[in-house]
Amino acid sequence: ALLQKLRNLVCNEVGAEPKVCCARETVKTVGDAGKPCIFPFQYAGRTYDKCTTKNSYNGQPWCATQVDKDGHVVDTDGYFAVNTWQYCPEGCPGTIPKKTVPGEQCDICTDYPRKCVFDFKLEMLKSDADGRRADGRIRSVLAYNGQIPGPPIVICEGDELLVNFKNNITGNMTNVDGSSNVTTLHFHGIREKTRPWSDGVPFVSQCPITPEGQDHPKNRNPFPFPYGFNTDVDGAPAGTYWYHSHVGAQRTNGAYGALIIKEKGTYAIVEENIIDDPANTLVLQEWYESSTNQVPVSLLVNGNGRIGELINTGDDEQITAHLKGKGACFNLTENKHFHPDNFTTNYTEFHVKPGYQYRFRVIGAISQNLPLRLSIENHTFTAIAMDSRNIQPVTNLTDLWLAAGERYDILVNTTEEYDQSGMAYKIKVIGYTDQPDNHCPLCTIAWLKYPKQYIDYTYVTDSACTGFHLPSPLRTLNPVPNKYTAWKNRIKYPHWKYPSTIGGIFIADLREPKSKSKSTITNLANTQYIEFDGNITFNGLRMSYPPVPFLLQDPADATNRCGSECNGPPPFTKCTTKNPATCTANKYCNCQHVVKEPWASVNVPWVEIVLVNNNKVAAAHPIHQHGGWYWVVGEGQFEIDINSTYIKHLDQNCTAKKNCLPRNFDNPPPKDTIQVPPGGYAIIRTKLDNAGTWIFHCHINYHVTIGMAMVLQVGESNLKHQDWCTGPLERNVECETPPPPPGGGPTTINWYHNMENAERCVTPGMNVTFNWVNKDHNVNIMTEKNYDSCYVTLHNNASKAGNHNWIAPRVTGTYYFACGRFPNPKGIG
């Protein structure tokens, strides 16, 4: 066997034409130099038919396959390689084609791989039709293919996914955060190892997609946008994922759905009688009064809910407290939409048979700081997976908590002893708008129906959530970590393995079933300390975004970057901190927060991040990482006030001089979203094997929109052997739509004819931008009386091109604006 540089082509088709291929320069051991590349390829007593290419050495063809130096099949983690990605519009030679089928046919697995094609469009609609009625009130929504949630995407191991995506959002909806009607699509949990350009994050991996029909000469996004991944090579094992828009509050208004990758075999840990039907998926979300009024009024399971006689209402102070994660109790008032004899919605139903194990997948499509608890009447259950990865089973659970972005797979044993003439069992979902004291509940149900049981279609939850408060004793998985006493008295590993042990089971005490080599996860590159504070930032840095997305910068524009940069030979322990001159020690700083790490393929090191939540009364921020899972090696909570200085002291000023906070390397659990305890910390480790720019953010929607985010950059765009794939996207081109301003709350209003009334809460001196496209608009400030009657005759009716800027005056109060174009003869605009 000889060593020779070859190119291993990882196929990355995104449509019939053009095809996208990314090449990785590879050093491999191969045998028999004179043997031609004929498939199936025989080597070292094994047969290979994976993605390959023909190459030559001294005029002889060579074969490169996904094998290690001993000839064993490996995934991309095992490549002896360095990144040298390139765009190959001519196609991918030597690859095995996958049969293209409509995506709706991919829910049944086959013995051959397929390319599953879905066509999606995102539209602004009303909740006035089946499939998107939500809680029964009619309001503006955003829906994929007219549905809330969007159509479920179900494919199998070995399949490739292609979603031809179009933005059909019209100009009549203004989101509460002021985001424009551009959009993206993100597959939550998918690593996108060969397609970082398909991660769907505006100004990080791509320019946002403008509405269909509008010119976009600058961003050059393909149309339709070809989102997707290949389960073989993109880091997408079987499991429960979801998809959603990554722009503003769009997912809050309905732009989300389930993504399931089915196992071709049976689940290995629990042996028999398992019914694994993706239809048994619960997608949980809180639902708001409207797209412009962020008062939570109901909970939805798979887009279905109801509201009883009373409904939440609130003022600006209550809404702000809720959005910031501090919690708020809202006012209960008469629900004018309540008609007990004429419901337009029903609760979701799941039909089961006795004597089986049913796999249920639970997705926390939660928008703000409103963790939700799930329990099932007269049933316990077993948790077998979280965030798409298997865990050692946790049995005999009474209830389960989920925060924004989290997923859990559970097994429910159906009983032979049930009341055949009785009412179906309730799957109960409850959350509390006033955390952490569990005051002011919102709740909903789904039905778990056995044969011959009946469903009470007149049932609706009351405002007190009667019957939802579980009696002790409880065996709870993933309780919200906002009470020190609960953390102190938790069930630790391995004691939770005893089914009769009562208490709370936290993430750090869970275990992955597959043994992970300690020498692997302990191959540490460097440790980053990230502190949250009252300004909802990472280390006092509020994320801003560049006009050219991070992934598409070549070379990187470091003008307004802040954060840390690590380099040097492996294990990359030399890190320097950079902050712009405008940053001061006593004020948060707006900048492009990037933690930059080198990419590696051999003896891949891990970056460790210690997340410090310094406020004992803050939200348990659910921190999500794009581009792959991290492994939770440590977690802790304190009764005293802490900060990163205190945590560093505990971790470094100790006998071993480093890493003295407790860490577990014995099969630590993988996650992509974790709640960090208030007054506590979480220690996570991420493998540096996925080149790209990956956003790392709080999954509370308001928090990420005002800048609680950073980018984990792995590799370097203009450095040989460190580059990443940008697919069909052009580098170094500014987006047509400018990036949103960080911090300070919503400062943009989309200004359209027939738009819904919009409200913004701003501070004196803040600049508010009214955005519009064509010239037939203007902006007039007016009295409350004229605003209420929409009387605009005395105001300017001249046509102006957008945009219009207004600076909030020092005198606080309520200011009213209207467009003065085309009033009718009575002066009504």
Side-chain angles (χ1 to χ4, degrees):
L2 300 174
L3 285 176
Q4 174 63 30
K5 283 187 177 181
L6 300 176
R7 288 195 179 277
N8 179 37
L9 294 180
V10 181
C11 220
N12 220 9
E13 292 184 72
V14 296
E17 292 296 336
K19 295 180 179 178
V20 175
C21 214
C22 290
R24 175 176 293 208
E25 188 176 347
T26 313
V27 178
K28 283 206 177 281
T29 301
V30 295
D32 301 330
K35 187 176 291 185
C37 293
I38 300 175
F39 302 102
F41 174 55
Q42 303 290 328
Y43 175 66
R46 294 176 175 82
T47 300
Y48 307 106
D49 57 1
K50 294 284 186 178
C51 184
T52 56
T53 182
K54 296 180 180 179
N55 214 315
S56 63
Y57 175 64
N58 291 337
Q60 297 292 330
W62 286 68
C63 299
T65 66
Q66 296 185 48
V67 297
D68 65 15
K69 61 184 177 62
D70 297 318
H72 301 115
V73 174
V74 296
D75 61 16
T76 51
D77 292 345
Y79 288 164
F80 291 86
V82 288
N83 268 351
T84 308
W85 298 109
Q86 64 184 30
Y87 180 42
C88 307
E90 71 277 3
C92 302
T95 59
I96 299 175
K98 294 186 177 183
K99 182 179 180 180
T100 299
V101 298
E104 294 75 15
Q105 297 179 12
C106 289
D107 60 339
I108 298 177
C109 297
T110 60
D111 57 2
Y112 57 87
R114 302 161 297 182
K115 182 176 183 178
C116 305
V117 181
F118 292 81
D119 294 317
F120 273 25
K121 61 181 179 181
L122 182 62
E123 298 175 282
M124 192 284 289
L125 300 167
K126 295 287 186 179
S127 54
D128 57 358
D130 290 345
R132 59 173 185 269
R133 294 192 185 276
D135 58 20
R137 299 172 305 111
I138 296 178
R139 48 153 287 189
S140 295
V141 300
L142 287 171
Y144 293 109
N145 293 4
Q147 300 176 219
I148 298 177
I153 297 175
V154 182
I155 61 175
C156 297
E157 289 177 308
D159 288 342
E160 179 182 352
L161 174 67
L162 169 63
V163 176
N164 292 313
F165 177 73
K166 295 180 181 179
N167 178 3
N168 283 14
I169 303 176
T170 61
N172 294 331
M173 183 173 183
T174 301
N175 291 313
V176 70
D177 65 339
S179 60
S180 60
N181 288 335
V182 298
T183 192
T184 62
L185 181 65
H186 169 60
F187 300 123
H188 184 117
I190 301 297
R191 294 198 72 194
E192 300 287 10
K193 286 196 71 171
T194 68
R195 311 186 198 191
W197 54 269
S198 188
D199 193 45
V201 183
F203 308 105
V204 175
S205 60
Q206 68 169 96
C207 289
I209 302 170
T210 56
E212 182 179 359
Q214 289 191 14
D215 294 331
H216 43 87
K218 292 185 178 181
N219 62 21
R220 292 180 174 85
N221 280 323
F223 180 82
F225 198 102
Y227 288 108
F229 56 86
N230 191 326
T231 59
D232 290 334
V233 295
D234 281 320
T240 303
Y241 304 84
W242 62 303
Y243 65 87
H244 58 82
S245 166
H246 219 286
V247 171
Q250 290 180 355
R251 67 181 173 89
T252 304
N253 294 316
Y256 64 90
L259 167 59
I260 309 298
I261 302 177
K262 294 176 63 176
E263 294 145 326
K264 284 192 173 181
T266 57
Y267 179 65
I269 296 179
V270 183
E271 295 179 356
E272 58 185 17
N273 287 344
I274 295 178
I275 296 178
D276 184 3
D277 184 350
N280 294 327
T281 298
L282 297 91
V283 186
L284 312 181
Q285 190 204 7
E286 84 277 32
W287 196 240
Y288 289 86
E289 198 280 333
S290 72
S291 62
T292 59
N293 185 340
Q294 292 286 276
V295 174
V297 296
S298 63
L299 301 181
L300 306 181
V301 177
N302 296 350
N304 300 314
R306 286 178 174 178
I307 304 178
E309 297 182 56
L310 301 177
I311 188 172
N312 279 348
T313 59
D315 56 28
D316 290 345
E317 183 176 350
Q318 292 167 311
I319 294 172
T320 299
H322 169 63
L323 294 177
K324 287 187 175 182
K326 296 179 179 180
C329 277
F330 294 93
N331 309 315
L332 287 169
T333 60
E334 179 185 0
N335 177 16
K336 297 180 180 179
H337 304 280
F338 179 63
H339 301 290
D341 298 325
N342 189 27
F343 285 116
T344 59
T345 60
N346 288 313
Y347 294 116
T348 298
E349 300 176 17
F350 297 97
H351 295 254
V352 297
K353 297 178 181 179
Y356 288 88
Q357 284 187 320
Y358 284 81
R359 182 178 190 165
F360 282 84
R361 303 169 187 264
V362 190
I363 299 172
I366 301 161
S367 299
Q368 308 296 355
N369 183 37
L370 191 59
L372 300 178
R373 188 190 71 200
L374 179 140
S375 61
I376 307 174
E377 276 186 335
N378 293 7
H379 292 73
T380 58
F381 50 85
T382 297
I384 59 172
M386 63 180 182
D387 290 2
S388 316
R389 301 291 297 240
N390 290 340
I391 57 174
Q392 294 182 21
V394 186
T395 62
N396 198 35
L397 291 168
T398 57
D399 56 313
L400 161 70
W401 283 89
L402 296 95
E406 293 186 301
R407 292 93 64 211
Y408 283 86
D409 292 27
I410 62 175
L411 295 179
V412 178
N413 289 313
T414 53
T415 179
E416 300 276 5
E417 300 176 357
Y418 69 95
D419 185 355
Q420 296 189 16
S421 61
M423 186 166 59
Y425 297 104
K426 297 182 183 74
I427 302 174
K428 299 179 179 180
V429 180
I430 187 170
Y432 300 90
T433 62
D434 187 13
Q435 291 280 344
D437 296 324
N438 289 352
H439 293 157
C440 307
L442 280 176
C443 54
T444 192
I445 67 160
W447 295 105
L448 186 73
K449 183 179 182 297
Y450 283 74
K452 299 183 180 180
Q453 287 187 324
Y454 72 91
I455 290 176
D456 180 3
Y457 288 105
T458 67
Y459 174 82
V460 61
T461 58
D462 60 38
S463 59
C465 295
T466 303
F468 279 70
H469 306 283
L470 298 179
S472 297
L474 298 178
R475 184 171 159 88
T476 304
L477 180 60
N478 192 34
V480 182
N482 54 14
K483 297 180 179 68
Y484 174 75
T485 53
W487 166 259
K488 182 179 179 181
N489 298 322
R490 72 191 189 279
I491 314 175
K492 299 180 181 179
Y493 179 86
H495 301 292
W496 57 254
K497 286 180 171 286
Y498 301 99
S500 60
T501 308
I502 300 303
I505 304 169
F506 288 78
I507 298 302
D509 290 302
L510 299 178
R511 294 293 182 268
E512 186 178 25
K514 180 181 177 182
S515 177
K516 183 170 292 296
S517 171
K518 292 185 180 180
S519 63
T520 299
I521 199 169
T522 55
N523 183 21
L524 181 62
N526 51 77
T527 297
Q528 306 283 332
Y529 293 87
I530 304 295
E531 182 178 0
F532 317 155
D533 60 25
N535 287 320
I536 312 179
T537 65
F538 289 156
N539 287 346
L541 305 175
R542 178 152 286 159
M543 184 68 176
S544 63
Y545 298 89
V548 176
F550 289 107
L551 189 79
L552 305 181
Q553 296 178 10
D554 188 8
D557 180 3
T559 305
N560 194 37
R561 286 198 179 187
C562 55
S564 63
E565 179 175 341
C566 303
N567 49 40
F572 317 122
T573 56
K574 184 179 179 180
C575 299
T576 58
T577 300
K578 175 189 175 183
N579 288 326
T582 54
C583 294
T584 61
N586 57 0
K587 183 181 179 182
Y588 70 81
C589 178
N590 293 337
C591 56
Q592 297 165 18
H593 190 179
V594 178
V595 173
K596 180 181 173 184
E597 302 276 356
W599 174 87
S601 66
V602 181
N603 297 322
V604 180
W606 298 62
V607 60
E608 178 179 80
I609 301 177
V610 181
L611 301 167
V612 182
N613 192 352
N614 68 10
N615 192 335
K616 290 191 297 184
V617 296
H621 297 278
I623 303 300
H624 173 53
Q625 175 180 285
H626 289 221
W629 297 273
Y630 44 69
W631 274 254
V632 182
V633 300
E635 187 178 13
Q637 197 168 19
F638 302 89
E639 284 188 289
I640 62 174
D641 292 328
I642 65 168
N643 54 29
S644 59
T645 301
Y646 178 76
I647 294 298
K648 286 180 182 179
H649 176 81
L650 293 180
D651 206 24
Q652 298 173 354
N653 189 19
C654 47
T655 303
K657 300 301 182 185
K658 62 179 181 179
N659 297 342
C660 293
L661 288 174
R663 286 165 171 81
N664 164 56
F665 301 119
D666 179 18
N667 299 328
K671 288 278 285 174
D672 63 42
T673 308
I674 186 172
Q675 300 177 81
V676 181
Y681 66 89
I683 307 175
I684 60 177
R685 292 196 174 188
T686 299
K687 200 172 185 181
L688 296 175
D689 66 341
N690 193 8
T693 55
W694 310 106
I695 194 169
F696 184 98
H697 64 92
C698 179
H699 219 282
I700 296 172
N701 198 76
Y702 178 76
H703 294 189
V704 66
T705 57
I706 68 168
M708 194 174 183
M710 67 182 192
V711 165
L712 176 62
Q713 176 178 319
V714 182
E716 179 67 72
S717 62
N718 68 327
L719 186 61
K720 187 177 181 180
H721 308 327
Q722 289 288 312
D723 201 3
W724 46 66
C725 183
T726 55
L729 306 184
E730 188 171 352
R731 300 190 183 203
N732 295 328
V733 177
E734 289 192 4
C735 299
E736 178 185 10
T737 302
T747 57
T748 304
I749 296 174
N750 301 323
W751 202 238
Y752 295 101
H753 182 59
N754 287 334
M755 64 178 278
E756 294 185 350
N757 291 344
E759 297 179 3
R760 300 288 182 266
C761 182
V762 297
T763 57
M766 185 175 294
N767 184 75
V768 179
T769 302
F770 295 76
N771 285 330
W772 65 86
V773 178
N774 59 50
K775 295 177 64 175
D776 283 330
H777 300 275
N778 63 30
V779 179
N780 295 280
I781 190 167
M782 57 201 311
T783 66
E784 180 180 5
K785 180 179 179 181
N786 284 348
Y787 178 87
D788 289 341
S789 62
C790 205
Y791 185 77
V792 295
T793 294
L794 300 178
H795 298 279
N796 176 26
N797 67 354
S799 174
K800 291 185 178 181
N803 295 326
H804 176 80
N805 293 315
W806 177 77
I807 298 177
R810 293 186 178 277
V811 179
T812 59
T814 303
Y815 294 82
Y816 300 87
F817 300 86
C819 177
R821 296 285 289 154
F822 309 121
N824 64 25
K826 295 184 178 180
I828 306 301

